[in-house]
Amino acid sequence: MSAQVQTSRKTVRDIAAAKGGTPLVCLTAYTAPMAELLDSRCDLLLVGDSVGMVVHGLPTTVGVTLEMMILHGQAVMRRSTQAFVVVDMPFGSYEASVEQAFLNAARIMKETGCQAVKIEAGEYAADTVRYLVDRGIPVMAHVGLRPQATNVDGGFKARGRTDAERNRTISEAVAADEAGCFAMVIEGVAEDLAAQITRQVSCPTVGIGASASCDGQILVTDDLLGMFDWTPKFVRRFADLRDTIGKAVDAYAAEVRGRTFPGPRETYALKRP
Ligand code: KIV
């Protein structure tokens, strides 16, 4: 008996093949309804650990747990069928050893059904990338500004301001690429550095605050939808949902207080036999 897996999802090959071609369209997704909306419009959906800040109100991504990532990963996988889905490995789930990284990455893959994991890759992480890839787990690396490292970096600061920092960012990117990551996020670097990394690595680069010189772009979906009062410089708001939602809720509240909602159309009538 042979079992054939039917899937129309993009694969790791489709993502890797985008190097130097039409830019990859990538967004974060944390919930089933949002995954359904984004699925056919994006090449890649990232269940980012930014979920901790965006959905759970945490001050940084450091407090995000493996269980949170699995829960959100499952929701996104349930309502997407086309986009390539990557789940972030949270802080503390992969840095201690390659074995720890493998066990937790395997758990994420098994329990969510996602296609790959992402890790924030300092130079030390190249061994982890190689270990996971060799054992069947596709890895997306994340270089430049690394939100999980804000406590050592002293905040969310763009990277590559000094020659030393610039060279380190390049080394991190090259090390992750040589270790076999299929793609990498570059966050918070100036255009010339993003362009140099994009030229130097063989995998596609996906920028966030890293200019149009990358092979693709990613944003936190809630940022582009205008859900927050404040957004970083690199975000363009393509909608103002905060205002739209505020006005809708004001209208609802006024109708409830004025007893005009619910009206006859929204009220069940007793049907007599
Ligand atoms: O966690 C996240 O959403 C991310 C993106 C911002 C790249 O890592």
Side-chain angles (χ1 to χ4, degrees):
M1 199 170 76
S2 75
Q4 207 176 352
V5 180
Q6 296 287 338
T7 174
S8 57
R9 272 190 200 281
K10 289 188 188 291
T11 68
V12 74
R13 281 175 187 242
D14 298 319
I15 303 300
K19 179 80 188 169
T22 306
L24 287 165
V25 177
C26 313
L27 280 174
T28 60
Y30 318 122
T31 65
M34 189 57 85
E36 191 170 1
L37 260 172
L38 304 182
D39 186 36
S40 64
R41 298 177 162 96
C42 294
D43 298 305
L44 183 150
L45 298 181
L46 171 68
V47 186
D49 62 354
S50 52
V51 68
M53 299 169 76
V54 174
V55 174
H56 297 275
L58 294 170
T60 70
T61 56
V62 170
V64 174
T65 64
L66 199 60
E67 285 67 30
M68 285 162 78
M69 296 313 303
I70 289 172
L71 202 65
H72 289 283
Q74 288 169 335
V76 167
M77 286 302 292
R78 278 188 205 116
R79 290 288 168 79
S80 60
T81 58
Q82 299 176 50
F84 188 82
V85 176
V86 181
V87 175
D88 251 342
M89 295 198 70
F91 178 68
S93 71
Y94 60 93
E95 303 90 332
S97 66
V98 291
E99 290 83 4
Q100 180 211 27
F102 178 76
L103 290 174
N104 286 329
R107 191 174 156 209
I108 291 176
M109 303 278 294
K110 278 169 182 273
E111 294 185 26
T112 67
C114 73
Q115 294 155 289
V117 297
K118 174 162 83 58
I119 65 172
E120 294 189 7
E123 224 174 328
Y124 76 93
D127 287 345
T128 306
V129 175
R130 190 170 294 106
Y131 194 88
L132 296 186
V133 174
D134 283 351
R135 284 158 183 77
I137 299 183
V139 180
M140 185 175 207
H142 184 145
V143 302
L145 191 164
R146 291 188 281 124
Q148 292 175 8
T150 48
N151 284 319
V152 280
D153 290 342
F156 291 86
K157 288 196 198 131
R159 305 293 292 170
R161 291 162 191 268
T162 62
D163 281 351
E165 216 176 71
R166 193 186 156 89
N167 292 338
R168 199 168 138 205
T169 307
I170 294 169
S171 307
E172 289 170 355
V174 169
D177 185 50
E178 288 175 350
C181 67
F182 70 91
M184 75 176 60
V185 167
I186 308 180
E187 178 165 357
V189 306
E191 176 153 26
D192 61 330
L193 180 51
Q196 184 172 347
I197 294 172
T198 300
R199 273 195 307 275
Q200 248 176 283
V201 298
S202 61
C203 69
T205 58
V206 176
I208 174 162
S211 83
S213 295
C214 298
D215 298 302
Q217 296 295 323
I218 188 162
L219 281 177
V220 168
T221 302
D222 300 64
D223 280 340
L224 86 84
L225 294 178
M227 289 293 286
F228 301 115
D229 258 350
W230 180 88
T231 44
K233 170 184 166 60
F234 57 80
V235 170
R236 185 180 301 169
R237 293 181 198 209
F238 288 85
D240 190 358
L241 288 200
R242 192 180 166 86
D243 186 55
T244 306
I245 293 171
K247 285 187 176 137
V249 175
D250 285 345
Y252 165 74
E255 299 247 3
V256 169
R257 291 184 184 118
R259 293 197 183 278
T260 50
F261 177 84
R265 282 180 53 202
E266 295 102 4
T267 303
Y268 291 110
L270 192 64
K271 283 200 183 109
R272 300 194 188 275

